[in-house]
Amino acid sequence: MKKSITYLKYIVNFLLIALALDIISKGLKFPLIILSTFDLIHENPTTDFSSTDTVLLTINFILLIYMGWLLLKLRKTVYGSESKSLFSKENKSIFKKVGVGIIYYSIAIFIIRALELYSDEIGINDDSSAYSFGYNLGYHLGELIGSRIPLLVIGIFILILADLIQDGYEIKQENDLTI
C-alpha cells in the first residue's frame, strides 16, 4: 500500500509541475497583451491580439488556476494519508471532486481551443473548395480531441480510485465491526 501511495504522489507532483509550466507560459502572454494594447511593442508582429484572444486567454488562465487548486487538494489528501488511512469518506469525496473537475476542465479547454481555432481561422479559409474546408476542419478538430484524451483518461482514473477508496472504506468498516 505504501508503494502505491508513493506512485500516486509521483503522479500528482508530475501533474502539478506540468500545470505550473502551463500557467507560466499563459501568464507570460499577459504582459505582451498589455504592451501591444498600449502600442509599446513595434518590432514583434506576432503580438497582434484581438479582444477575443484576450478573453479566451483570461478564461484559459482562470481554468488553469482552478485545475491547480484541484491538484493541490489532491496532493494534500495523498500526503495526508500517511498519518491516517487512505480509505475514508472524506478522501473518496475529494478524489471524486478532483476526477469530475479534471473531466470538466478538459471539456472546457476543448471548447476554448475550438474557439481559438475558429477565431484564428487556421488554414480553414486558405482554399475555397469544400473538400479543403472539411479536411482542415476535421484535421484541427481531431488534433484538439486527441490532445484532450490523456486528461480525460486521468480524470476517469481518479474517479475509479474514488470508487476503490469507497469500497476499501466499506470493507474496513465491516472488518472493524467483526473484530
Side-chain angles (χ1 to χ4, degrees), residues 130-176:
Y131 174 76
S132 176
F133 174 77
Y135 174 78
N136 288 331
L137 181 65
Y139 173 78
H140 291 298
L141 285 178
E143 198 174 64
L144 289 174
I145 291 171
S147 65
R148 296 295 108 207
I149 288 177
L151 204 53
L152 286 172
V153 169
I154 291 171
I156 292 169
F157 174 72
I158 292 175
L159 286 176
I160 291 170
L161 284 177
D163 286 340
L164 291 175
I165 289 172
Q166 175 67 30
D167 292 344
Y169 175 74
E170 290 171 0
I171 290 172
K172 182 180 156 204
Q173 292 298 319
E174 289 176 12
N175 189 22
D176 289 345

Side-chain angles (χ1 to χ4, degrees), residues 42-93:
H42 300 293
E43 66 272 352
N44 194 355
T46 61
T47 60
D48 186 26
F49 293 105
S50 68
S51 61
T52 306
D53 292 334
T54 307
V55 169
L56 291 176
L57 182 65
T58 305
I59 292 171
N60 193 352
F61 195 69
I62 290 169
L63 285 172
L64 285 171
I65 291 173
Y66 167 71
M67 188 68 191
W69 177 72
L70 285 176
L71 287 176
L72 286 174
K73 280 179 66 172
L74 184 63
R75 185 178 190 276
K76 181 180 173 188
T77 301
V78 170
Y79 276 86
S81 66
E82 290 178 350
S83 62
K84 59 180 180 150
S85 175
L86 182 65
F87 302 111
S88 69
K89 284 187 176 185
E90 297 86 24
N91 288 349
K92 185 252 181 187
S93 173

Side-chain angles (χ1 to χ4, degrees), residues 80-112:
S81 66
E82 290 178 350
S83 62
K84 59 180 180 150
S85 175
L86 182 65
F87 302 111
S88 69
K89 284 187 176 185
E90 297 86 24
N91 288 349
K92 185 252 181 187
S93 173
I94 289 172
F95 271 77
K96 188 170 184 173
K97 286 177 186 175
V98 170
V100 170
I102 288 174
I103 291 172
Y104 287 156
Y105 169 80
S106 180
I107 292 169
I109 289 296
F110 171 77
I111 292 170
I112 287 174

